[in-house]
Amino acid sequence: MTVREHTLSHTQTHTHTLYCMLHSSTSLLEGAMSAVKLEEFRERIRKELDTTVDFWLQHSHDPLHGGFFTCLGRDGEVYDELKYVWLQGRQVWMYCRLYRTMDRFHRPEILEAAKAGGAFLRKFTRVPGAGSGQWKCAFSLTRDGKAVKIQRTIFSECFYILAMDELSRVTGDKDMQLEAEQMMEQLISWVREDPAGLGRPQLPGDVPTNSMAVPMMLLCLVQQLTEGGGAEVVQKYTELASWCVQQILQHIQRGGTAILENVSVDGAELPGCQGRLQNPGHALEAGWFLLQVSAQQKDEALQRTAIDKFMELPYQNGWDKEHGGLFYFLDVDGHCPTQLEWNMKLWWPHCEALIAFLMAYSHTREPALLHRFSEVFEYTFKHFPDAQKGEWFGYLTQEGKVALDFKGGPFKGFFHVPRCLYMCERILDDMLANKD
Amino acid sequence: MTVREHTLSHTQTHTHTLYCMLHSSTSLLEGAMSAVKLEEFRERIRKELDTTVDFWLQHSHDPLHGGFFTCLGRDGEVYDELKYVWLQGRQVWMYCRLYRTMDRFHRPEILEAAKAGGAFLRKFTRVPGAGSGQWKCAFSLTRDGKAVKIQRTIFSECFYILAMDELSRVTGDKDMQLEAEQMMEQLISWVREDPAGLGRPQLPGDVPTNSMAVPMMLLCLVQQLTEGGGAEVVQKYTELASWCVQQILQHIQRGGTAILENVSVDGAELPGCQGRLQNPGHALEAGWFLLQVSAQQKDEALQRTAIDKFMELPYQNGWDKEHGGLFYFLDVDGHCPTQLEWNMKLWWPHCEALIAFLMAYSHTREPALLHRFSEVFEYTFKHFPDAQKGEWFGYLTQEGKVALDFKGGPFKGFFHVPRCLYMCERILDDMLANKD
C-alpha cells in the first residue's frame, strides 16, 4: 500500500465512521419519528374499527331469521332484504375473529350475532349441487332463507368454510369444524380434479384458466384451517399450500414487469382482454398472503417476490398519477378495459394495499414501504370514511367523488374494512411493542 | 241570453277568430321552420350513418373465418378476437336491412359480409342445450367458432332469429327462414311454457319475473317475422303480439308515475332493488315498439300510453338535470342503485330516445315531442360521436367525459348507432316527403 493509498484508505475509514455515526443518529431520529407516526396511524385505525363494528352491530342484524342484512344505505337503513352468502360467511368470520383475538370485542352481543349468522348459514345455504351427492352453497337467499341464485364458482363455499372454521374455534363445536373440512375437500376436488360439480357446461372454446382468485382463496383457507394447529393439520395442507403459492406466482408475467389476473394452467399469457387484465387490488391482496407464507417458512426469496412483484408492481402500474387511488382494472398494453367500472376507485383494493404495505414494512423495516403505506393511508382516509354517518363509502369516481353512497351492498359487507383495520392495528401493536 | 252575455259571446267569438288567424300563421311559420330544422337533422344523421357503416366495413370483417370482430378500439383496431353472438346476429340483421331498404347501401360488399356473418352463425353458434333435443345459441365464440360461453337467457337466440329472418329476405333462402321460425317456436316455449331448457336450476326463492327485456324482444321478433307478410303470418303471431303488449304494459307502476324494469308475472311490484329498478333507455325503446303497434292497429289509446308513459316518464325520471343525458339505472325511491355504472351515460339509451321522440312526433306532430327530440339530439351529437376517428364512444361519465374510448366491445357492436340513424333518417324522409 502506498502512502497515498494508505491516506486515502484512512480517510475513507474515517469518513465511513463519521457516516455510520451520522446514519445511526439519523436512524434513531427516524425511529423515534416513525414511532410517533405509527402511534398516530394506530389511533386513527382503532377509532375507525370501533365505529365500523358499531355500525354493523346496530344496523345489520336480523332478529327474526338470524343472518345479516348487508344492503345498508348511507345511514344504515336496510334498502334490500336479500342475504348474500359471501357476506354472511365473511361477517360470521370477522365477528368471531374480533371476539376471539381482541379484548375489547370479546363481547356477548358479538358472539351471539356470529352464532345466529352461523346457524342461518348452516340451515339454509347448502343446496343440492350438479355433482352426484355434492352440495353447493347458494349465492343469495331470501330474508327467510330460500335460495335465490347459485353461482357456478367456488366462492360462496369458500366463505362458508371460513365462517364455520372460525366459529368452531370460538364455540368448540366439532361438527361445525368437520363440516368446514368436508366442504374444503369438495372444493379442492372441484379445483384440482373435476369442475363438473360446479355446473358449468364443458365448452370447447372455454379453456381451463388459472384465475388469481382461486389459488388466493384456497391459500387463505389453508391459512385459516391451519392457524394455531398442530403438526398434523399443517402437514395435511402442506402440499396444497405449495401448489397455491406456485399457482399465484404464475401470474408474474411480461418478464417480471406485471401481474396478470388470468393465465393459462401452464402459466402462459392468455389471448385478448382476459389475458391482459390487471386487477391491482387483487395482486396486492395476493402479496400479503404470500408474505405471510414467506414469514412462516422463513423464505426470504418469497418475501422479496411478494414485495417487489405483488406490491410494488401493482402500485406502479395501478396507482392513478393524476387523481390518486388505485384503478379497479387495467389492461397491461394500455387498451381501455371493457369493464365499465375500470377507472373507479373501490374501497377494497385500498384496504388490501394498506395491509400489504404495512405488513411488508413490519417484516423488513424498509422506509420506502412505510412511505407507500402513508401515501395509501392518506388517500384512503381522506376519501372513503363517512365522517358524518360512520363506516366507509365503497365506490368513488376516478376523481374521488362518491359515486354510490351506500355502506353495504351485494358485494360490500362487514369484511374488507374491518379486516384491514383489524390487521393493521395488530401489526402496529406488534411493531410498537417491539420498537426498541 | 242577456245583452251582456251576447256582447261577451260576440267578443269571445271575435277574439277566437283573431286567435285562429294568428295561430294559423304561427303554425305556417312553425311548419316552415321545422321543415328547415328537420332537413338539418337529416343531413347530420345521414352523414353519421355513412361514417358508421364505413367504420364497420373497414375494421370488423374477418376474411379468414367470416363473422365479425366487435372489439374495436378507438381507431378501429381489433383488441380482442372473441366473437360475441348478440353482436354477430345484430350486424347481419343491420347489414341486410340497410342493403334491402336503402339504395345507397345496396352494395355487394355489404351483402357479402352479411352472408359470411350468417354462415358463421349457422355453422357455429348452435350448441346442444339443457333440454332434450333442444338447441341453445352460445353467447361468445372463439375467432374460429368454438363456443366459449352460454348464457342461461334467451337473447343470443333472439338475435340469431333476427339475423336469419332478415338474411333470408335478402337471399331468398327458405331453409334459413325455417330455421328462424323453428328457433322462435323454441323461444316461445321457454318463455311461456317451460324455462328448464335454458339451464337455470329451479330455486324456491327465485320467483318467476316479468323482465321488460323479454316481452320487448319477443315483440321485436314478431315485428320482424311479420314485416310485409301476408294475413297468414300476421294471424300466426297476433296472439303473441297482444301478450307481449300486455306484458310490457304491466311495467307501468306506482299509479302510472313510473316504468319499472322488473315486475311479478301478475304485474305487481317486486320487493327490493330488483323491484325498484328503472332503466330509462329500455323504457324508451319499449315506447317506440309500442308506438309501432299502435300505428299498425290504429289504437289511439295505446299511442297515448306509449308516449305519456314509456317516453315522457323515463325522460322526466331519467334525464340528468345537472349534466344532461340519460342515467343508465335509477331506483324509483331514490336509493342509490347497486349497479356500479348507474350514473354513466351510455350511447344506446340516447339512440332509443332519439327514435322514440322522433317517431312520436311524426305520428302526432306535437311540437313538445320535437322539442324533446332536439334536446336529446343536441346532447347526443355533442357527446358521443368521435369527430376525429369516426363512430361513437359508448360510455361516458355522469359529467359527459369519455370513460371507455373503444368503438366496439362485448356489448357494443354495429347495431344501436346504425339502427337509430337508419330509423331516424327514414322517419325524416317520410315527414319531409309529406311536409305539405
Side-chain angles (χ1 to χ4, degrees), chain B residues 155-214:
Chain B
F155 304 111
S156 289
E157 290 77 8
C158 290
F159 297 113
Y160 180 82
I161 295 167
L162 214 58
M164 289 301 128
D165 184 79
E166 186 68 26
L167 185 55
S168 75
R169 288 166 187 266
V170 173
T171 59
D173 186 325
K174 294 290 171 206
D175 286 349
M176 213 180 267
Q177 199 171 23
L178 196 65
E179 274 172 35
E181 283 174 26
Q182 284 168 346
M183 188 63 90
M184 183 72 179
E185 292 309 311
Q186 190 176 284
L187 205 68
I188 295 167
S189 136
W190 285 336
V191 172
R192 300 186 68 179
E193 288 160 27
D194 182 6
L198 294 172
R200 278 199 301 266
Q202 306 258 320
L203 298 170
D206 185 20
V207 295
T209 300
N210 171 358
S211 294
M212 181 79 100
V214 173

Side-chain angles (χ1 to χ4, degrees), chain A residues 133-390:
Chain A
Q134 291 186 344
W135 293 94
K136 275 285 294 169
C137 286
F139 173 73
S140 53
L141 304 164
T142 58
R143 182 180 175 184
D144 61 353
K146 290 199 280 289
V148 175
K149 195 176 163 187
I150 300 177
Q151 286 185 316
R152 297 176 289 183
T153 60
I154 61 165
F155 303 111
S156 289
E157 290 76 8
C158 289
F159 298 113
Y160 180 82
I161 294 168
L162 214 59
M164 288 301 128
D165 184 79
E166 187 67 27
L167 185 55
S168 75
R169 288 166 187 265
V170 173
T171 59
D173 186 326
K174 294 290 171 205
D175 286 349
M176 214 179 265
Q177 201 173 20
L178 196 65
E179 274 171 34
E181 284 174 23
Q182 283 168 346
M183 188 64 90
M184 184 72 179
E185 292 309 310
Q186 190 177 285
L187 206 69
I188 295 167
S189 136
W190 286 335
V191 172
R192 299 187 68 179
E193 288 159 28
D194 181 6
L198 293 172
R200 277 199 301 266
Q202 306 258 321
L203 298 170
D206 185 19
V207 295
T209 300
N210 170 359
S211 294
M212 182 79 101
V214 172
M216 268 177 70
M217 271 309 314
L218 282 183
L219 185 58
C220 172
L221 290 174
V222 169
Q223 296 280 7
Q224 174 68 32
L225 294 168
T226 58
E227 200 224 295
E232 194 185 339
V233 68
V234 171
Q235 178 63 32
K236 179 178 175 187
Y237 290 113
T238 297
E239 189 274 334
L240 178 61
S242 299
W243 182 83
C244 291
V245 169
Q246 290 314 309
Q247 292 288 109
I248 294 172
L249 294 178
Q250 284 189 340
H251 293 262
I252 308 172
Q253 293 288 324
R254 301 284 175 114
T257 63
I259 304 296
L260 301 183
E261 185 71 3
N262 304 297
V263 295
S264 80
V265 288
D266 306 323
E269 188 171 329
L270 292 166
C273 295
Q274 182 195 22
R276 294 191 306 266
L277 188 68
Q278 293 175 295
N279 180 335
H282 237 180
L284 284 153
E285 189 177 3
W288 69 260
F289 286 8
L290 291 178
L291 204 58
Q292 286 183 317
V293 174
S294 78
Q296 286 156 0
Q297 301 180 348
K298 304 196 188 344
D299 182 338
E300 282 189 25
L302 185 59
Q303 181 192 67
R304 207 63 259 161
T305 300
I307 295 171
D308 292 349
K309 302 301 177 189
F310 288 84
M311 297 182 193
E312 191 60 14
L313 287 181
Y315 174 85
Q316 288 296 343
N317 298 338
W319 190 260
D320 182 348
K321 273 87 183 168
E322 192 180 354
H323 301 285
L326 290 162
F327 286 108
Y328 191 15
F329 293 113
L330 289 165
D331 179 296
V332 70
D333 284 339
H335 295 286
C336 179
T338 56
Q339 290 84 355
L340 272 53
E341 65 276 25
W342 74 272
N343 65 356
M344 291 178 75
K345 309 293 166 61
L346 270 66
W347 85 108
W348 72 260
H350 297 81
C351 292
E352 302 312 324
L354 288 172
I355 300 171
F357 286 120
L358 191 61
M359 192 186 284
Y361 175 65
S362 85
H363 286 203
T364 63
R365 303 296 168 123
E366 291 170 18
L369 293 165
L370 185 60
H371 179 73
R372 287 271 181 271
F373 173 79
S374 298
E375 194 177 5
V376 179
F377 185 94
E378 196 175 327
Y379 180 89
T380 304
F381 279 76
K382 184 174 170 192
H383 288 87
F384 289 105
D386 179 1
Q388 283 172 32
K389 308 284 186 176

Side-chain angles (χ1 to χ4, degrees), chain B residues 73-326:
Chain B
R74 187 178 173 189
D75 299 341
E77 77 281 7
V78 177
Y79 63 84
D80 195 309
E81 294 183 345
L82 277 183
K83 290 181 177 157
Y84 291 92
V85 169
W86 293 19
L87 306 188
Q88 304 296 312
R90 286 166 162 183
Q91 189 156 352
V92 170
W93 177 83
M94 193 74 241
Y95 272 167
C96 293
R97 179 58 69 98
L98 290 171
Y99 179 86
R100 183 165 70 85
T101 64
M102 275 189 157
D103 286 345
R104 71 182 192 278
F105 297 117
H106 196 79
R107 285 148 46 185
E109 58 177 330
I110 293 181
L111 177 60
E112 288 312 311
K115 281 175 163 177
F120 182 86
L121 270 178
R122 286 178 91 184
K123 190 163 175 193
F124 297 117
T125 191
R126 284 170 301 174
V127 293
S132 162
Q134 291 187 343
W135 294 93
K136 275 285 294 169
C137 287
F139 173 74
S140 53
L141 304 164
T142 58
R143 182 179 175 184
D144 60 354
K146 291 200 279 291
V148 176
K149 196 176 161 185
I150 300 178
Q151 286 186 316
R152 298 176 290 182
T153 60
I154 62 165
F155 304 111
S156 289
E157 290 77 8
C158 290
F159 297 113
Y160 180 82
I161 295 167
L162 214 58
M164 289 301 128
D165 184 79
E166 186 68 26
L167 185 55
S168 75
R169 288 166 187 266
V170 173
T171 59
D173 186 325
K174 294 290 171 206
D175 286 349
M176 213 180 267
Q177 199 171 23
L178 196 65
E179 274 172 35
E181 283 174 26
Q182 284 168 346
M183 188 63 90
M184 183 72 179
E185 292 309 311
Q186 190 176 284
L187 205 68
I188 295 167
S189 136
W190 285 336
V191 172
R192 300 186 68 179
E193 288 160 27
D194 182 6
L198 294 172
R200 278 199 301 266
Q202 306 258 320
L203 298 170
D206 185 20
V207 295
T209 300
N210 171 358
S211 294
M212 181 79 100
V214 173
M216 268 177 70
M217 272 309 315
L218 283 183
L219 185 58
C220 173
L221 291 174
V222 169
Q223 296 280 8
Q224 174 69 32
L225 295 168
T226 58
E227 201 223 294
E232 194 186 338
V233 67
V234 171
Q235 178 64 30
K236 180 178 174 187
Y237 289 113
T238 298
E239 189 275 333
L240 179 61
S242 299
W243 181 84
C244 290
V245 170
Q246 289 314 309
Q247 292 287 110
I248 293 172
L249 295 178
Q250 284 189 342
H251 293 262
I252 307 172
Q253 293 288 324
R254 302 283 175 115
T257 62
I259 303 297
L260 300 183
E261 184 72 2
N262 304 295
V263 295
S264 80
V265 288
D266 306 322
E269 189 171 328
L270 292 165
C273 294
Q274 183 195 22
R276 295 191 307 266
L277 188 68
Q278 294 175 295
N279 180 336
H282 238 179
L284 284 153
E285 188 177 5
W288 69 260
F289 287 7
L290 292 178
L291 204 59
Q292 287 183 317
V293 174
S294 78
Q296 286 156 1
Q297 302 181 348
K298 306 198 186 342
D299 183 338
E300 282 188 25
L302 185 59
Q303 181 192 69
R304 208 61 258 161
T305 300
I307 296 171
D308 292 349
K309 302 304 177 188
F310 288 85
M311 297 182 193
E312 191 59 15
L313 286 180
Y315 174 84
Q316 288 297 343
N317 298 338
W319 190 261
D320 183 348
K321 273 87 184 167
E322 193 180 353
H323 301 285
L326 289 161

Side-chain angles (χ1 to χ4, degrees), chain A residues 103-151:
Chain A
D103 285 346
R104 72 183 193 278
F105 297 116
H106 195 80
R107 286 148 45 185
E109 57 177 330
I110 293 180
L111 177 60
E112 288 313 311
K115 281 176 164 177
F120 182 85
L121 271 178
R122 287 179 91 183
K123 192 165 174 190
F124 298 117
T125 191
R126 284 170 301 174
V127 293
S132 161
Q134 291 186 344
W135 293 94
K136 275 285 294 169
C137 286
F139 173 73
S140 53
L141 304 164
T142 58
R143 182 180 175 184
D144 61 353
K146 290 199 280 289
V148 175
K149 195 176 163 187
I150 300 177
Q151 286 185 316

